[in-house]
Amino acid sequence: MMIQRKSLTLALAMHSQCRAFSPVLVTTTSTRRATTASSSCPTTLASSCRDDPAFNTSNSYEWLKQSRPIRIHAKSLTLDNTHTKTRKDSLSSHSKIVHFQRHGQGIHNEIYAQWTQSTGKPLNLSETDPAKNPLLLANVIDAPLTPKGISQCHDQYRRHAANLRYVERIIVSPLVRALQTARLTFRNHLPAEYVDCAEDYMNGEEATATTSSSSTIWTAHEGCREELGLLLCNKRRPLSSTKLDFPHVDFTHLPHHGDEDVTWMEYASNFAKDAAQRESTEDMSHRVYDFLVSFLRELPEREVAVVGHSAWLHAMCNAVLYQGTDANGKGDNIDSGMFDQAEIRTLELTFIEK
């Protein structure tokens, strides 16, 4: 497949660059000033700090959740097909079963890991100087999966997704790494004519499933894309190229259909070039809430998958969802820590109007 070849070529180039971390290797048309100092990584947040020490669960967003007209309660479910089918059959009209997945390792994740290993401290992702933040370089735009990321998706398919036979719709971020992850992890749900597309990523591994569910709907949606602003790994490549590589996905729900990433550009236009900022958890949570309430809740399907990104999922778990499945918050607490690469967590969401 075209994306796999590009991914491997880009990964090799970026690996070489990141081993050296030499400012001489980092070229750009403009130089920006740093606005935020590098952060140390607390040991209590070791999992989150593999990608970004800014992710933590110490902040309370209860005030933010309480300000919204609809409460979204979440209960964890086991990744068991029989369990989810039984549960789905008994769901109220206000509830859905959602399999949330973070994408597998992207090239930007590997760059981050190499930087941290080489320097002994996490890369400051809020840094606005490309010489100090390689995720501002143009060749990481819409970062695809690494070979490790592809393997992580195979593993999630074999261990979990292959048994999820009743997923009715797969909703995915329009960024390439999420689309790749969804196609690999949920390949049992590809239309029959596109099964070979997923097998092209197998890297010599034998495909373990050929039964496809052609009735499953595949939808790309801007509402579940990654953090906006600053980091070019989160900027979408030309949409025409993405559509060619993922012909099984319906892109008509995107608000803009041209090649330009208008969503990104509109957010970036709020800041001067020398004062670019990452989207905050609070701002991201508004996007998450709108996606869940205005789009996902209104779908006729009762069991769906959403394939997205770490910061988006972190905002959802900490600044949008309530624990438990009723107005009193009864039910098992959900894991609010950052998703591991390619990890799937199944939640029962219940929408309660105040």
Side-chain angles (χ1 to χ4, degrees), residues 41-49 57:
C41 182
T43 55
T44 55
L45 300 175
S47 173
S48 298
C49 287
T57 57

Side-chain angles (χ1 to χ4, degrees), residues 199-212:
E199 293 178 0
D200 283 343
Y201 284 112
M202 293 300 290
N203 286 343
E205 298 181 48
E206 182 180 355
T208 54
T210 55
T211 304
S212 90

Side-chain angles (χ1 to χ4, degrees), residues 75-81 83-84 97 99 160 164 346-347:
K75 178 180 180 180
S76 295
L77 299 178
T78 58
L79 281 169
D80 177 88
N81 194 64
H83 184 193
T84 55
I97 291 175
H99 308 284
H160 299 305
L164 299 176
T346 299
L347 300 179

Side-chain angles (χ1 to χ4, degrees), residues 287-354:
R287 287 201 292 117
V288 175
Y289 176 83
D290 186 61
F291 167 79
L292 294 177
V293 170
S294 301
F295 181 71
L296 188 142
R297 181 181 68 148
E298 300 301 321
L299 294 174
E301 296 82 22
R302 308 187 74 188
E303 181 176 351
V304 302
V306 175
V307 182
H309 306 264
S310 58
W312 189 92
L313 290 162
H314 176 267
M316 178 187 73
C317 291
N318 290 277
V320 177
L321 300 182
Y322 284 84
Q323 305 285 348
T325 55
D326 62 21
N328 298 314
K330 293 181 179 179
D332 298 333
N333 288 341
I334 64 170
D335 182 354
S336 59
M338 195 177 79
F339 279 58
D340 286 331
Q341 293 163 358
E343 180 185 359
I344 300 173
R345 297 181 195 170
T346 299
L347 300 179
E348 178 183 330
L349 301 185
T350 302
F351 299 85
I352 303 175
E353 295 192 26
K354 291 183 179 179

